Every structure is written in C-alpha cells, then in structure tokens.
Amino acid sequence: RKISRSVNNGFMNRSVGKMSTVLENTIRITFVDREGNRATVPARVGKTLLETAQLHKVDLEGPCGGGGGFPDVQRTAAWNETTYGEGPNCFICHVQIPSTFNHLLPRMTDHEIDGLKRSWEEEYSRTSRLACQITLEKKHEGLVVFVPDAPPVDMM
C-alpha cells in the first residue's frame, strides 16, 4: 500500500507546485550601438526592451515610458481589438531589430508605424520598432537589438 504526502502550507494540505527561479525568468539580449559596440545583458521576462536597456545603461531614451497602454491588442490571427489605450506618444525609443527575429515580435500597430515614420523619417526602416512596445518573453532569448543615433534635441 502506497501512502501519499502533501505539504502543509499553513492554510490547508495541498501539493506545492514548483516555483520559478530568477534564472528561469532571465534571458540574454544583445544591444549594438551605432559604432558597433556590443553589450549582451541579462533581461527579465515580462519587462520591456526599453526597461531592460535603461536598467543596463544602454543609451536609449524613452520619456513617455510607452504611453498609457497598448492602443491595440492582437487577440487572434484575424482579430485585432482596439483597447483605447493611448499607446506610445514620444517615439524616441527607436531600435532596429533584424528581420530574422520578426516571427518573435508582436505585430506593429498603425499608430507605432505612423509615429516612427514621422519621427525618424529617413532612418525609419522595415526593421524599426519601439523598444517600449516589446515585452520580453522566453522566446526572445538571443535577440539582437541595434540602437541608432538619438533624434535631434529639438525634437524632444
């Protein structure tokens, strides 16, 4: 006869699930500046690319911090819900992510595309993204992020 045990967690007898560790929620991201200097840093799953860059002193500004939430949320391949959030409003945290990572990134909203095109003009490319709009997940392990020059001071 087999006897099973459970752990008393102070409330009731329950089986305790495995808790995740910091290591399990940490990935590595590589930032490359305009001169080609590379910095591979640890990044916490659930943080944005902008938060990670600022934590590690990467020269990337983001005064609006991503605005007031996402204006659109992609619910399924066919359904894009407008959530009426403000979304980003400064478009300063421009980064470029190689197209080989496109399948790992969230879909860009029209608001993000228009703002990047208006703010960055000739520096905008199909690899342009806003760092505040990319929330890191385990699948982003090894992501490479190029940080271009900041816009002119009179734009801020």
Side-chain angles (χ1 to χ4, degrees):
R1 202 170 161 176
K2 195 174 193 179
I3 298 174
S4 65
R5 291 186 177 189
S6 58
V7 175
N8 184 341
N9 64 5
F11 298 103
M12 342 172 99
N13 288 336
R14 291 186 188 166
S15 295
V16 177
K18 182 181 176 216
M19 298 194 61
S20 63
T21 65
V22 171
L23 183 60
E24 291 172 333
N25 289 309
T26 302
I27 59 174
R28 307 220 28 102
I29 302 291
T30 300
F31 290 98
V32 183
D33 70 13
R34 60 195 157 274
E35 290 144 10
N37 299 314
R38 301 171 75 86
T40 300
V41 300
R44 182 68 55 89
V45 169
K47 295 289 186 184
T48 66
L49 206 49
L50 176 61
E51 291 168 325
T52 301
Q54 291 176 336
L55 176 68
H56 294 287
K57 310 292 187 234
V58 173
D59 190 18
L60 183 61
E61 297 294 322
C64 80
F70 300 100
D72 297 307
V73 177
Q74 188 73 36
R75 301 292 184 190
T76 68
W79 178 34
N80 186 48
E81 178 185 12
T82 299
T83 57
Y84 303 102
E86 293 175 20
N89 53 37
C90 73
F91 305 98
I92 303 294
C93 63
H94 173 235
V95 294
Q96 294 176 329
I97 299 174
S99 58
T100 54
F101 294 102
N102 279 351
H103 67 287
L104 302 176
L105 301 174
R107 186 185 70 79
M108 288 179 72
T109 64
D110 292 338
H111 180 67
E112 183 179 358
I113 294 167
D114 293 342
L116 280 166
K117 284 181 178 178
R118 252 191 345 270
S119 299
W120 291 90
E121 298 170 353
E122 67 275 349
E123 290 197 36
Y124 172 81
S125 75
R126 59 186 183 82
T127 63
S128 292
R129 297 302 301 258
L130 290 176
C132 68
Q133 298 299 296
I134 299 172
T135 301
L136 297 172
E137 300 175 41
K138 287 293 280 184
K139 67 183 181 182
H140 295 127
E141 173 69 44
L143 187 70
V144 177
V145 180
F146 294 91
V147 182
D149 279 333
V153 174
D154 62 349
M155 283 187 63
M156 293 184 188

